[in-house]
Amino acid sequence: MNYQKILEDIAEEIKPHLKDGHVADYIPALAKVDPEQFAMSLTLFDGTQYHVGDTETLFSIQSISKVFTFTLALKFYNNSIYKRIGVEPSGNPFNSLVQLEYENGKPRNPFINAGAINMTDALVKHYKNAELTYKEVLNFIKEIADDNSISLNDVILKSEKEHGYRNIALANLMKSFNNLDNDVSEVVDIYFKHCSLEMNTKMLSRTMLYLANHGEDPISKKTHISQRQAKRINSVMLTCGHYDASGDFAFNVGLPGKSGVGGGIVAVVPKLMGISVWAPALNEQGNSLVGTMALELFTTKTGLSIF
Ligand code: DON
């Protein structure tokens, strides 16, 4: 298959839509990003990469980090993690408080904000130290991206902290239901740091290889998680990776995927490749509008959905 040509065709087809949607503005630093940017990368199991657009440009990974914190929490806790977290789609916005209240502080899944804050708490419990948790998650991301340069953006971190009212509320609500072990501000702080990491589509498409290959990195040959755990993460990405638009994403794209409010999306083609796309303007549910469109075009043109 001529992947390069397919990517270039997609870049042409999405062009008229780069003006659609809106960049996230509830984190003011994200509102400053030029919305008319686009990048898409594929990484195959032998390390071959295909790119189109602004693939060197770093952007805020935001909720894509939730895939990595869930991976490590599942690795360390295995099935006991489900005492504190569910695996059902929420059908609600990613930062909603209502469901968490009537479901007694147990987040629906690890990909909504409450769920990711909870996974961060589990990791702080495991590592027994908040700063160490940040560093270990970053080290894991550097390893699977095969890139040591990854770091966080201080301006975005500060902006997240200053406007993190809902996340702090979610963490407090979980604490009130005894579903948060550590100090609220400590946990939320580390969650913000992971969201503020910056990467590009080249790096992010590389990070998905362990999920495409039953938990083992096909290039380094390192086993990060078991085959069963990889199946679970992919399943939750398919059913919950795009919040209240997860059904829509599964319907139109047909791949496990995870979005971030910085406009990035990662997706997995099992046994074949990792994909990442970036276009900062979002749809109403907070997922990249053009990014979703590009992935839909990709599975339509290649027939590479999981179905
Ligand atoms: O906590 C937040 O609201 C952001 N740091 C992350 C949310 C996000 O990326 C939602 N994704 N589409």
Side-chain angles (χ1 to χ4, degrees), residues 47-107:
T48 308
Q49 295 195 311
Y50 297 90
H51 307 292
V52 72
D54 311 311
T55 49
E56 298 287 348
T57 310
L58 297 172
F59 58 89
S60 192
I61 69 169
Q62 293 296 322
S63 289
I64 295 174
S65 63
K66 293 173 165 81
V67 177
F68 310 127
T69 42
F70 181 41
T71 295
L72 291 177
L74 193 56
K75 178 187 171 101
F76 298 132
Y77 287 85
N78 207 3
N79 286 345
S80 67
I81 200 71
Y82 303 117
K83 283 186 211 139
R84 40 161 79 223
I85 195 86
V87 290
E88 287 294 336
S90 67
N92 277 296
F94 58 84
N95 54 7
S96 168
L97 282 145
V98 278
Q99 195 171 48
L100 191 64
E101 162 79 4
Y102 67 71
E103 296 190 351
N104 304 316
K106 186 175 179 180

Side-chain angles (χ1 to χ4, degrees), residues 26-27 61-64 66 94-95 113 160 167 191-192 195 243 258-262 282 285-287:
Y26 75 101
I27 301 171
I61 69 169
Q62 293 296 322
S63 289
I64 295 174
K66 293 173 165 81
F94 58 84
N95 54 7
N113 287 10
E160 285 231 41
N167 287 323
Y191 164 80
F192 287 146
C195 290
Y243 317 108
K258 180 76 205 82
S259 68
V261 83
L282 310 176
Q285 292 90 2
N287 306 307

Side-chain angles (χ1 to χ4, degrees), residues 157-268:
L157 177 61
K158 187 162 173 281
S159 193
E160 285 231 41
K161 276 191 190 173
E162 282 171 5
H163 296 83
Y165 309 112
R166 297 188 76 91
N167 287 323
I168 294 162
L170 289 165
N172 274 303
L173 199 50
M174 288 190 281
K175 189 84 179 166
S176 78
F177 283 107
N178 291 319
N179 195 21
L180 203 91
D181 290 298
N182 299 282
D183 180 65
V184 163
S185 59
E186 211 172 51
V187 173
V188 173
D189 216 51
I190 302 305
Y191 164 80
F192 287 146
K193 283 187 157 183
H194 295 146
C195 290
S196 304
L197 290 170
E198 287 192 315
M199 295 172 72
N200 58 33
T201 57
K202 283 186 171 179
M203 300 168 182
L204 281 167
S205 64
R206 170 68 181 82
T207 64
M208 289 297 104
L209 292 188
Y210 76 102
L211 288 173
N213 192 40
H214 297 318
E216 185 197 281
D217 188 308
I219 299 172
S220 72
K221 307 288 180 210
K222 183 164 174 186
T223 299
H224 292 295
I225 44 168
S226 71
Q227 180 167 347
R228 291 175 64 192
Q229 290 168 333
K231 178 184 89 175
R232 259 87 217 208
I233 298 166
N234 276 296
S235 305
V236 183
M237 284 170 77
L238 182 74
T239 54
C240 310
H242 286 72
Y243 317 108
D244 43 338
S246 296
D248 196 59
F249 188 85
F251 182 83
N252 288 305
V253 177
L255 292 174
K258 180 76 205 82
S259 68
V261 83
I265 302 179
V266 288
V268 176

